[in-house]
Amino acid sequence: MKQKRATVTFQPEGIIVEVPLGETILTATKKAGIILTIPCGGHGRCGKCKVLINKGQNSLKGDFHTKTLTLKEIEDGYRLACQTKVEGDLEIFIPGESRVISQKILSDSLPVKMEIAPVIIRQQLTIPQPEEHSNMADIDRLLVEIKKTFPHQQIIIPYENLQKLPKILRKKNWNITLTYQKTSTTKLEILEIQAGQANGSILGLAIDIGTTTIAASLIDLETGERVQTASCVNSQMLAGEDIITRIHYASANFSNLIRLQNFVIKDINNLIKSFDCKPRQIKALTLAANTVMTHLFFGIDPSYIWREPYTPAVSQFPTIQADRLGIKIHPLSKVRALPCVSSYVGGDIIGDILVSGLHQKDKPSIIVDIGTNGEIVLGCRSWLLSCSVPAGPALEGAEAKCGMRATMGAIERVTINPETLEPTFNIISAEKPLGICGSGLIDLIAELFQAGTLTKAGRFTVRDHSRIRKGVHGLEYLVANKEETITQQDIVLTERDISNLLRTKGAFYAGYVTLLKSFNLTFQDVDTFYVAGGFGDSINAKNARTIGLYPDIPLEKIKSIGNGALGGAGLTLLSEKFIDTAKRIAKSLTNIELSKNYDFMDEYTLASFIPHTHLDYFPTVQKLIETGGIKY
Amino acid sequence: MKQKRATVTFQPEGIIVEVPLGETILTATKKAGIILTIPCGGHGRCGKCKVLINKGQNSLKGDFHTKTLTLKEIEDGYRLACQTKVEGDLEIFIPGESRVISQKILSDSLPVKMEIAPVIIRQQLTIPQPEEHSNMADIDRLLVEIKKTFPHQQIIIPYENLQKLPKILRKKNWNITLTYQKTSTTKLEILEIQAGQANGSILGLAIDIGTTTIAASLIDLETGERVQTASCVNSQMLAGEDIITRIHYASANFSNLIRLQNFVIKDINNLIKSFDCKPRQIKALTLAANTVMTHLFFGIDPSYIWREPYTPAVSQFPTIQADRLGIKIHPLSKVRALPCVSSYVGGDIIGDILVSGLHQKDKPSIIVDIGTNGEIVLGCRSWLLSCSVPAGPALEGAEAKCGMRATMGAIERVTINPETLEPTFNIISAEKPLGICGSGLIDLIAELFQAGTLTKAGRFTVRDHSRIRKGVHGLEYLVANKEETITQQDIVLTERDISNLLRTKGAFYAGYVTLLKSFNLTFQDVDTFYVAGGFGDSINAKNARTIGLYPDIPLEKIKSIGNGALGGAGLTLLSEKFIDTAKRIAKSLTNIELSKNYDFMDEYTLASFIPHTHLDYFPTVQKLIETGGIKY
Ligand code: FES
Ligand code: FES
């Protein structure tokens, strides 16, 4: 007799879910709250979603399995979660490498001193009661009193606040608390009218929607304090890990687009629920995200953003009432997004600029935002230049053989004994390592180079060593052997991994130089080198400089600004002037297209070495080599 | 065995509905689309909802029946629809007097000549396509082109119109049709963006929400033509026939208020469905209604409007997007209401003024709006004065023994042979009469007075006549005997009916005089006497003047403006300047409270005669008496 539903048990968590027969294992994992890594968007092409069937069916559908898994894996019981339907009760083991684990997000504090002039203000009022010869409409009576405080402002009262007005006014003897939101310099909109004296903090929400992670910080709009922060995986991951897959998905039809929009809105609502406040206390929301993520958040078609000639639909996003978007904060709150400059330069970069204060400095500074896509800004008070680095996610650990994101199990810091070549490493929140994240890769290359085991071109100078051996992709360095790892497989750094990373860091370096050159500047002219994103804090700046990812400037000029998107979004909540500043920055920022820039191409070729073809560009490294600090 | 549901057959229509046991007959009538008259709001107190049970149960619940029906009626099988639950299959006859029948509504043509400058405009545009070195956001590209036509306007693009923008632009090769709505003199909001060249008329909807009837007219915003009109009974009747009952109902709790709001919104949506156009073609809506009805439409608490010191919640109503109210026209259309001046002077009166053009004239004119509540306006270009007549709905036929509204079966015109006292009458849409409506009452009194059978005080001078006899309330005139009527009961005009009507018309006359006196004017100074409302057309102006409801001025100075609320609402759709004019009128209108005005009280006493205590105020009537045209 056929079963209609089946139970699926996920190990090692032991989570049991009940699903209708015919659903994919991928869908079942979602129900269990487990997020699998699905780089190909669940189309059976990447093989990354593999899971191990412990008990239950083992039928094999389609030829996706044979194309992505080894025969051994298939025989062992590995299946693609996205291609395998539940046909009966199952017990499934999910290997660590198939999971997306909530990332370590650095949400940094706001700049220390600033004048707080929040967009939300509160006022207590006592209104004279109506009498026989003074019986104008309640609203007019209220407006007369408001005008005494705000004579020059246009006061807007949303319809929802009129509906119950008569009883609210009379409830506490015509004593009320008004909460306004400034919608422009001349307009005040009444957000809330409460009887009597209202208490409780007024909160604002800053949101950073990353391709993989959504981070939120709750800010007290009166004190400027950050009350709480939270982050979660962006559920859009279920529709594809990378941006291109999501654009294709959203482009197919309008309901797909709305589905992606709803994913993030639901994520944001869940983050809101996790905070220790009443959702209605949150009275403003600002979002900072890259151009595609911002489009998806608003449900605006992103089809042409990443297609020549690269036109986003919108750059300055509209201000929308929270309830129209389904965001569960005070329904009349305004939701804003930091503006985007172009297809590649989004609100996240505007946030970086706001937080760094680069747009206010006399001398030029550089911001580098190292994420899935690298962005560089060079500028000062008078001008702003930006470019997107045409580099893959090598620094996110995605391209290396044993690479992974900076999540649980990642090797994030490494030192190598130059004599024995034995490594010592830090692992994020785990005993045993699972892989190597970007900062770990940088450390490894820098340490190996300093130990004299790597050439400028990133080739091993040593072979037949217990740690350096021949692998499938040229020589490789054994970081941890299988006895020490979670996966029970060796963790290695291959020559291919190194050359991938050198290409990426070369693109960044070439980016800095190309921007500087267009104003005839050199690194000597740079006031500060800001590093935005979680990387800024986890990267060993000295090592990053040694391999040439950072330029050779004094370490004290290198500053981490953490999550600039989140910080910048927060600033606009605390002072309305930042909203205008953000728009002004977006308008004045000039983006340079590197992919067809010959200067860039030349610089790129020169920079794909450790630290650079021209050692004299890295005097610090040169000096270390001369003094023997680096064996070379 | 117990039945769960029962069928109820309504006669004479023969409509059959199936209802759960335990529902009231009143609810069942609603399902059958039959609207009963329920002045007490369905609380069993007025007895007006009585229906005759032809077949089926005849049990009797509660003591409401004995208090409101006669023993004979109960024995005959009459039951209160609101108090009787369905216990099994039933056949029910609904007497005409228990029904509310769709009223005869006069929806009048707009003033002949006016400049049309509608709030909705349409534009065709061709936009240069993006290229490698011109790849700004789609929206910015669009705005550049729009700005060429509207350089000084702020262009607002609602979020909904951004979502699909990229594909719409590209669908017909960057040829599009834009529809804008003017939201202020400096702002244009994009209502719709369509690919290619869009056709079809652009329509606007004018709505008049009366206490009993909702009227709508569909207007072509480009030609100014009225395309279609429709009207229906205001479903709020189900919650009470009169305004006070509805205020109490809405005041009890917020969900009651929203229920009343939803009633009218559903009615309006049904009217929209009845039109021969796509709902999305309707791109603007203006509403004109009295203060309470306007509050209820917006779901704004009306609790204190009719309670001392008479304060409405709102006078200038907000402009709201149609989809926020659930009105099924183009979702981004603006819904506006003509402003209200006070608890008694609503947007309907502002509409009357707009249509009459009184606010533009050099010489003062009068508008009288004879509805459930009488309103009078006196004014000119420089000043505007208004008052509400503290009179019951006598002119709507509600107070007379055989009175009824101007609906099917009502005697609306009467002439009486002065020799035989035999009447001749017109009946609205029926063969046999059901009762007498306001215009019929006026004719009867005027004709009886002219025949010399009534004194100035409204007492019969004749008795022991086949047509004049003694009834329960003094003498009465037999208008139609039971053989001739639908109800098979005599239709009569009693002395009490006459004195009720004289009191009402006296109040109106005293109202005119009181307003005139405050500016030291007389009827000689009045340029035009406008009559607004359905009455204007159906009343015999000469008779109305004979009994003193209208002042004694030349008949050519008396003009009917029909449904001024509907007309005024329509004007604001055709020219934005009328929106401002309406606001200006509302602000400059001074309302005089008559209920405590001594001048008014004195005038009222003098005016409650036919035509007036001082016959010399009515020289035309005086002359007729002197020449024998009126037997007196
Ligand atoms: S194979 Fe790529 S997600 Fe399943
Ligand atoms: S008794 Fe008044 S409605 Fe039924």
Side-chain angles (χ1 to χ4, degrees):
Chain A
M1 212 173 81
K2 232 183 174 182
Q3 267 181 291
K4 287 275 161 63
R5 295 177 77 82
T7 54
V8 182
T9 311
F10 290 105
Q11 299 297 7
E13 287 95 336
I15 297 172
I16 302 172
V17 292
E18 205 191 76
V19 296
L21 295 185
E23 250 189 5
T24 64
I25 293 175
L26 179 62
T27 310
T29 57
K30 203 181 147 188
K31 286 188 183 153
I34 296 164
I35 298 197
L36 293 190
T37 177
I38 47 166
C40 77
H43 289 114
R45 286 194 300 271
C46 69
K48 295 280 185 181
C49 68
K50 71 172 182 226
V51 296
L52 181 64
I53 314 274
N54 282 346
K55 281 184 206 146
Q57 80 204 38
N58 61 1
S59 73
L60 208 57
K61 293 273 164 66
D63 58 357
F64 293 110
H65 285 85
T66 49
K67 286 191 179 151
T68 54
L69 302 180
T70 64
L71 204 59
K72 171 93 172 61
E73 282 173 324
I74 294 173
E75 278 175 6
D76 285 351
Y78 280 100
R79 294 290 179 273
L80 297 179
C82 70
Q83 298 301 321
T84 309
K85 289 183 178 157
V86 175
E87 294 164 10
D89 292 353
L90 283 177
E91 186 184 300
I92 290 170
F93 179 80
I94 300 182
E97 64 221 87
S98 301
R99 290 170 188 263
V100 173
I101 301 164
S102 194
Q103 275 180 270
K104 185 182 164 195
I105 278 289
L106 297 163
S107 310
D108 302 81
S109 53
L110 297 165
V112 194
K113 299 224 172 193
M114 63 169 288
E115 206 188 313
I116 295 175
V119 288
I120 309 291
I121 46 180
R122 194 146 68 178
Q123 183 191 23
Q124 309 269 346
L125 266 190
T126 301
I127 295 159
Q129 305 192 11
E131 292 164 21
E132 193 185 328
H133 296 289
S134 163
N135 64 351
M136 58 183 157
D138 289 353
I139 185 68
D140 297 326
R141 183 168 299 277
L142 175 62
L143 282 170
V144 165
E145 289 310 301
I146 291 174
K147 281 290 181 187
K148 289 179 184 165
T149 321
F150 302 106
H152 306 302
Q153 254 77 13
Q154 189 191 337
I155 308 295
I156 295 161
I157 311 182
Y159 151 67
E160 289 82 351
N161 280 331
L162 294 175
Q163 297 190 275
K164 298 178 180 177
L165 180 65
K167 292 204 176 102
I168 291 172
L169 289 174
R170 287 159 181 87
K171 190 172 177 187
K172 300 263 177 176
N173 228 349
W174 297 79
N175 283 300
I176 54 164
T177 303
L178 289 163
T179 309
Y180 305 92
Q181 53 190 343
K182 293 186 199 172
T183 54
S184 81
T185 45
T186 56
K187 282 185 195 164
L188 274 184
E189 183 176 314
I190 298 183
L191 190 59
E192 198 161 33
I193 308 176
Q194 290 157 286
Q197 190 175 330
N199 297 311
S201 4
I202 304 175
L203 301 170
L205 192 64
I207 300 272
D208 159 40
I209 303 180
T211 312
T212 46
T213 310
I214 299 177
S217 75
L218 196 60
I219 293 167
D220 185 311
L221 298 185
E222 286 166 313
T223 64
E225 255 179 274
R226 192 165 59 191
V227 182
Q228 241 179 316
T229 59
S231 66
C232 67
V233 171
N234 184 337
S235 295
Q236 290 177 345
M237 294 287 271
L238 290 168
E241 272 196 4
D242 64 278
I243 264 190
I244 296 274
T245 312
R246 291 188 215 167
I247 292 177
H248 282 158
Y249 181 78
S251 194
N253 56 59
F254 190 65
S255 61
N256 274 7
L257 170 60
I258 298 306
R259 199 165 299 134
L260 288 189
Q261 180 186 27
N262 288 340
F263 274 139
V264 263
I265 287 182
K266 211 171 157 194
D267 288 341
I268 292 171
N269 284 338
N270 284 335
L271 289 175
I272 291 166
K273 269 190 235 156
S274 78
F275 289 130
D276 307 324
C277 70
K278 292 190 198 117
R280 277 183 77 92
Q281 278 184 276
I282 305 176
K283 300 226 159 56
L285 187 154
T286 307
L287 162 89
N290 69 44
T291 306
V292 174
M293 286 298 124
T294 312
H295 276 66
L296 293 180
F297 171 79
F298 285 111
I300 298 173
D301 185 2
S303 300
Y304 304 92
I305 300 183
W306 278 28
R307 233 187 253 181
E308 275 197 83
Y310 308 105
T311 51
V314 180
S315 52
Q316 306 261 355
F317 294 86
T319 300
I320 301 183
Q321 228 170 258
D323 61 356
R324 294 211 90 144
L325 285 168
I327 292 179
K328 305 286 189 218
I329 56 176
H330 190 290
L332 300 177
S333 309
K334 300 286 185 238
V335 175
R336 289 183 176 81
L338 294 189
C340 295
V341 178
S342 66
S343 288
Y344 292 100
V345 183
D348 45 356
I349 306 303
I350 305 292
D352 289 340
I353 297 173
L354 279 178
V355 168
S356 70
L358 169 139
H359 60 293
Q360 296 171 316
K361 302 205 168 185
D362 294 325
K363 282 190 68 185
S365 291
I366 288 175
I367 303 173
V368 58
D369 191 326
I370 305 173
T372 313
N373 302 96
E375 311 291 336
I376 305 169
V377 178
L378 169 70
C380 61
R381 179 194 298 281
S382 335
W383 49 268
L384 291 163
L385 222 54
S386 70
C387 67
S388 304
V389 179
L395 285 166
E396 286 202 317
E399 290 173 356
K401 187 172 183 213
C402 298
M404 66 177 288
R405 289 210 185 79
T407 62
M408 205 170 80
I411 295 174
E412 58 164 354
R413 284 288 165 90
V414 191
T415 51
I416 291 174
N417 181 318
E419 308 304 329
T420 63
L421 299 189
E422 283 304 302
T424 318
F425 44 72
N426 290 353
I427 307 163
I428 299 176
S429 321
E431 293 288 309
K432 288 183 170 188
L434 193 64
I436 317 161
C437 70
S439 58
L441 291 173
I442 291 166
D443 281 358
L444 277 168
I445 296 171
E447 292 284 311
L448 288 170
F449 178 70
Q450 286 179 136
T453 50
L454 280 183
T455 65
K456 267 173 72 174
R459 302 277 153 194
F460 285 102
T461 56
V462 182
R463 40 175 81 211
D464 303 328
H465 185 281
S466 63
R467 287 273 165 189
I468 297 168
R469 66 193 191 190
K470 202 165 156 37
V472 184
H473 306 302
L475 293 175
E476 61 186 29
Y477 173 77
L478 177 67
V479 184
N481 68 48
K482 50 173 158 284
E483 287 76 40
E484 301 172 312
T485 69
I486 295 178
T487 54
Q488 298 177 11
Q489 287 176 358
D490 289 345
I491 293 176
V492 296
L493 175 76
T494 69
E495 279 186 342
R496 191 154 88 170
D497 296 342
I498 296 171
S499 76
N500 273 340
L501 198 124
L502 292 186
R503 271 202 301 276
T504 297
K505 77 94 196 169
F508 275 98
Y509 191 87
Y512 317 144
V513 174
T514 309
L515 290 187
L516 285 168
K517 269 193 177 172
S518 40
F519 272 80
N520 268 323
L521 298 170
T522 69
F523 288 111
Q524 313 289 311
D525 303 306
V526 172
D527 182 72
T528 311
F529 183 84
Y530 294 103
V531 186
F535 273 103
D537 285 313
S538 55
I539 283 179
N540 177 322
K542 197 156 157 267
N543 283 342
R545 191 178 62 177
T546 299
I547 69 160
L549 170 63
Y550 292 179
D552 195 341
I553 58 173
L555 290 178
E556 62 272 19
K557 285 191 165 190
I558 300 174
K559 282 186 187 151
S560 167
I561 53 172
N563 188 333
L566 201 57
L571 286 176
T572 65
L573 293 170
L574 287 175
S575 176
E576 49 181 328
K577 76 171 184 191
F578 281 107
I579 297 170
D580 297 325
T581 306
K583 286 184 190 165
R584 222 180 48 239
I585 290 173
K587 276 190 186 147
S588 61
L589 195 62
T590 306
N591 192 49
I592 292 186
E593 186 57 60
L594 295 186
S595 58
K596 292 173 183 170
N597 182 305
Y598 292 113
D599 261 353
F600 172 77
M601 297 313 240
D602 292 346
E603 290 296 336
Y604 172 57
T605 312
L606 296 171
S608 302
F609 292 87
I610 313 175
H612 195 276
T613 306
H614 303 301
L615 205 54
D616 49 338
Y617 288 10
F618 281 76
T620 314
V621 180
Q622 195 172 25
K623 201 169 170 196
L624 278 169
I625 290 171
E626 285 162 13
T627 58
I630 291 178
K631 294 192 201 164
Y632 193 72
Chain B
M1 211 174 80
K2 233 182 171 181
Q3 266 183 293
K4 289 273 163 65
R5 295 177 77 82
T7 54
V8 182
T9 310
F10 291 104
Q11 300 295 8
E13 289 94 338
I15 298 172
I16 301 170
V17 293
E18 207 191 75
V19 296
L21 295 186
E23 251 191 6
T24 64
I25 293 176
L26 179 61
T27 311
T29 57
K30 205 181 146 188
K31 286 188 183 153
I34 296 164
I35 299 197
L36 293 190
T37 177
I38 48 166
C40 78
H43 290 113
R45 286 194 301 270
C46 68
K48 294 281 186 182
C49 67
K50 69 171 185 226
V51 296
L52 180 65
I53 313 273
N54 281 346
K55 283 185 203 146
Q57 80 204 36
N58 61 1
S59 73
L60 208 56
K61 293 272 165 67
D63 58 356
F64 292 110
H65 285 85
T66 49
K67 285 191 180 152
T68 54
L69 301 181
T70 64
L71 204 61
K72 172 89 172 63
E73 283 174 323
I74 295 174
E75 279 174 6
D76 284 350
Y78 280 101
R79 294 292 180 272
L80 295 179
C82 71
Q83 298 301 321
T84 308
K85 289 183 177 155
V86 175
E87 294 165 10
D89 292 354
L90 283 178
E91 186 184 298
I92 290 169
F93 179 80
I94 301 182
E97 64 221 88
S98 300
R99 289 172 188 261
V100 172
I101 301 164
S102 194
Q103 274 181 270
K104 185 181 164 195
I105 279 287
L106 297 163
S107 309
D108 302 82
S109 53
L110 297 165
V112 194
K113 299 225 172 191
M114 63 170 286
E115 206 188 313
I116 295 176
V119 288
I120 309 291
I121 46 181
R122 193 145 69 179
Q123 184 191 21
Q124 310 270 346
L125 265 190
T126 301
I127 294 159
Q129 306 193 10
E131 292 164 22
E132 193 184 329
H133 296 290
S134 163
N135 63 351
M136 58 184 155
D138 290 352
I139 186 67
D140 297 327
R141 183 169 299 277
L142 175 62
L143 283 170
V144 165
E145 289 311 302
I146 291 174
K147 281 291 181 187
K148 289 179 185 166
T149 321
F150 303 105
H152 306 302
Q153 255 77 11
Q154 188 190 339
I155 308 295
I156 296 162
I157 311 184
Y159 151 66
E160 289 82 352
N161 280 331
L162 294 175
Q163 296 190 275
K164 299 179 181 176
L165 180 65
K167 291 203 177 102
I168 291 172
L169 289 174
R170 288 160 180 87
K171 190 172 176 187
K172 300 264 177 176
N173 229 349
W174 297 79
N175 283 300
I176 53 164
T177 304
L178 290 164
T179 309
Y180 305 92
Q181 52 189 346
K182 294 186 198 173
T183 55
S184 82
T185 45
T186 56
K187 282 184 195 163
L188 274 184
E189 184 175 314
I190 297 182
L191 189 59
E192 197 162 34
I193 308 176
Q194 291 157 286
Q197 188 173 332
N199 296 310
S201 5
I202 304 174
L203 301 169
L205 192 63
I207 299 271
D208 158 40
I209 304 180
T211 313
T212 47
T213 310
I214 300 177
S217 74
L218 195 61
I219 293 167
D220 185 311
L221 298 185
E222 286 165 312
T223 64
E225 255 179 275
R226 193 166 58 191
V227 181
Q228 240 178 320
T229 59
S231 67
C232 68
V233 171
N234 184 337
S235 295
Q236 289 177 346
M237 294 287 271
L238 290 168
E241 273 195 3
D242 64 277
I243 263 191
I244 295 273
T245 311
R246 291 187 216 169
I247 292 176
H248 282 157
Y249 181 79
S251 196
N253 57 59
F254 190 64
S255 60
N256 275 7
L257 170 60
I258 297 306
R259 200 164 299 134
L260 288 189
Q261 180 187 26
N262 288 340
F263 274 139
V264 262
I265 287 183
K266 211 171 156 194
D267 288 340
I268 291 172
N269 284 338
N270 284 335
L271 289 175
I272 292 166
K273 270 191 235 154
S274 78
F275 289 130
D276 306 324
C277 69
K278 292 189 198 117
R280 278 183 78 91
Q281 277 184 278
I282 304 176
K283 300 227 160 56
L285 187 154
T286 308
L287 161 88
N290 68 45
T291 307
V292 174
M293 285 300 122
T294 312
H295 276 65
L296 293 180
F297 171 79
F298 285 111
I300 299 172
D301 185 2
S303 300
Y304 304 93
I305 299 184
W306 278 27
R307 235 187 254 181
E308 276 197 83
Y310 308 106
T311 50
V314 180
S315 52
Q316 306 260 355
F317 294 87
T319 299
I320 301 183
Q321 229 170 257
D323 61 356
R324 293 211 91 143
L325 285 168
I327 292 180
K328 306 286 187 216
I329 56 176
H330 190 290
L332 300 177
S333 308
K334 299 285 185 240
V335 174
R336 290 183 176 81
L338 293 189
C340 297
V341 178
S342 66
S343 288
Y344 292 99
V345 183
D348 45 355
I349 306 303
I350 305 293
D352 289 339
I353 298 174
L354 279 179
V355 169
S356 70
L358 170 139
H359 61 291
Q360 296 172 315
K361 302 205 169 184
D362 295 325
K363 284 190 67 186
S365 292
I366 288 176
I367 303 173
V368 57
D369 191 327
I370 304 172
T372 312
N373 302 96
E375 311 291 336
I376 306 169
V377 178
L378 169 70
C380 59
R381 181 194 297 282
S382 334
W383 50 268
L384 291 163
L385 223 54
S386 70
C387 67
S388 304
V389 179
L395 285 167
E396 286 203 316
E399 290 174 355
K401 188 172 181 211
C402 298
M404 67 177 288
R405 288 209 187 80
T407 61
M408 206 169 81
I411 296 175
E412 58 164 354
R413 284 289 166 88
V414 191
T415 52
I416 291 175
N417 182 318
E419 307 303 330
T420 62
L421 300 188
E422 283 304 303
T424 317
F425 44 72
N426 291 351
I427 307 163
I428 299 177
S429 321
E431 294 287 312
K432 287 182 170 189
L434 193 63
I436 317 162
C437 69
S439 59
L441 292 172
I442 291 166
D443 282 357
L444 277 168
I445 296 171
E447 292 283 311
L448 288 170
F449 179 69
Q450 287 180 135
T453 50
L454 280 183
T455 66
K456 267 172 72 172
R459 301 277 155 193
F460 286 102
T461 56
V462 182
R463 41 175 81 211
D464 302 327
H465 184 280
S466 62
R467 287 274 165 189
I468 298 169
R469 66 191 192 193
K470 201 163 156 35
V472 184
H473 305 303
L475 293 175
E476 61 187 29
Y477 172 78
L478 178 67
V479 184
N481 68 48
K482 49 173 159 283
E483 287 76 39
E484 300 171 312
T485 68
I486 295 177
T487 54
Q488 298 176 13
Q489 286 176 359
D490 290 345
I491 293 176
V492 296
L493 175 76
T494 68
E495 279 185 343
R496 190 154 91 172
D497 295 343
I498 297 170
S499 77
N500 273 339
L501 198 124
L502 292 186
R503 271 202 301 278
T504 297
K505 76 95 196 170
F508 274 99
Y509 191 87
Y512 317 143
V513 174
T514 309
L515 291 186
L516 285 167
K517 270 193 176 173
S518 41
F519 272 80
N520 267 323
L521 297 171
T522 70
F523 288 111
Q524 312 289 310
D525 303 306
V526 172
D527 182 73
T528 311
F529 184 84
Y530 294 103
V531 186
F535 273 103
D537 285 313
S538 55
I539 284 179
N540 177 322
K542 198 157 156 265
N543 284 343
R545 191 178 62 178
T546 299
I547 70 161
L549 171 63
Y550 292 178
D552 194 342
I553 58 172
L555 289 177
E556 63 272 18
K557 284 192 165 190
I558 300 174
K559 282 187 187 151
S560 165
I561 54 172
N563 187 334
L566 201 57
L571 286 176
T572 65
L573 293 169
L574 287 175
S575 176
E576 51 181 328
K577 75 172 185 191
F578 281 107
I579 297 170
D580 297 325
T581 306
K583 286 185 189 166
R584 223 180 47 238
I585 290 173
K587 276 189 184 148
S588 61
L589 195 61
T590 307
N591 192 51
I592 292 187
E593 187 56 62
L594 295 187
S595 59
K596 292 172 183 172
N597 182 304
Y598 292 112
D599 262 353
F600 172 77
M601 297 314 242
D602 293 345
E603 290 295 337
Y604 172 57
T605 313
L606 295 172
S608 301
F609 291 87
I610 314 175
H612 194 277
T613 306
H614 302 302
L615 206 53
D616 48 338
Y617 288 9
F618 280 77
T620 314
V621 179
Q622 194 171 25
K623 201 170 168 193
L624 277 169
I625 290 172
E626 285 162 12
T627 57
I630 292 179
K631 294 192 200 165
Y632 193 71

